[in-house]
Amino acid sequence: MSKLADLRKSYELGELDEAKAANEPLKQFHLWLEQALAAEVPEPNAMTVATVGADGRPSTRIVLIKGSDERGIVWYTNYDSRKGRELALHPFAALQFHWVEQERVVRIEGRVEHTTAEESDAYYQSRPLDSRLGAWASPQSQVISSRAVLVANAAKAAAQHGLHPPRPPHWGGFRLVPERWEFWQGRKSRLHDRLVYRQQDGAWVKERLAP
């Protein structure tokens, strides 16, 4: 562990020029996401979600992005989970993508809302059967005595619902509506490129931040 302070990496793979970056943050995000997919980086769809609890303390977890358009960034989860409960109290969150192999980070902040029931239904029905049953089986974020509880719950859900389980009422989508984006590209000598997009008078303003 004493060697951790000695770890070093020189970031030299790319650059981020505000003159060449897209004027719309969603367009820049889609460009980087497509490049991450094309480069076959591990789980390019994985993102960290940060929320705040009633005690004011933050918490993070990894989820998978399931959609992104002009309305926002979408993921699906159990509404009774810790993140679901925290978002019910404080409907704001921060997201972060870290594409290590490309030396890139994207941070997104904004308010969070539920997707429509129709959207949640459509995505739920697109999932593999085991995943749909798993949504019924797991009391997410609650203490359970052993893994046997999950196995028993899954078997009970399969017996009850068969091949066509409906979407559980406690399960669905969240959509983060972006209010701020930041794009980070690693550069040599720790002089990294950071571009932030913020809304002003209904339009996106693009600015460079010091690293």
Side-chain angles (χ1 to χ4, degrees), residues 18 21 45 50 66-67 73 78 108 114 124-125 184 187 193-194:
E18 56 265 48
N45 55 334
K66 293 301 178 181
I73 309 296
N78 187 318
I108 314 166
H114 284 187
Y124 180 81
Q125 294 303 328
W184 181 96
R187 297 296 300 274
D193 290 329
R194 294 175 64 191

Side-chain angles (χ1 to χ4, degrees), residues 69-140:
D69 56 26
E70 293 76 10
R71 297 173 298 167
I73 309 296
V74 172
W75 70 97
Y76 292 87
T77 190
N78 187 318
Y79 289 143
D80 293 335
S81 64
R82 179 178 178 180
K83 59 184 171 296
R85 297 194 306 270
E86 290 181 343
L87 287 169
L89 287 172
H90 303 291
F92 297 91
L95 311 177
Q96 178 169 292
F97 293 84
H98 188 189
W99 297 311
V100 178
E101 292 76 10
Q102 297 176 308
E103 300 173 355
R104 288 174 172 174
V105 172
V106 180
R107 299 170 58 201
I108 314 166
E109 301 172 19
R111 61 180 176 85
V112 177
E113 61 190 23
H114 284 187
T115 59
T116 65
E118 292 75 16
E119 288 175 289
S120 294
D121 286 341
Y123 175 69
Y124 180 81
Q125 294 303 328
S126 75
R127 306 178 85 206
L129 177 59
D130 286 350
S131 296
R132 282 178 278 153
L133 292 172
W136 284 98
S138 175
Q140 193 174 118

Side-chain angles (χ1 to χ4, degrees), residues 48-62:
T48 299
V49 177
T51 57
V52 176
D55 57 3
R57 297 191 177 194
S59 62
T60 65
R61 72 287 289 159
I62 303 294

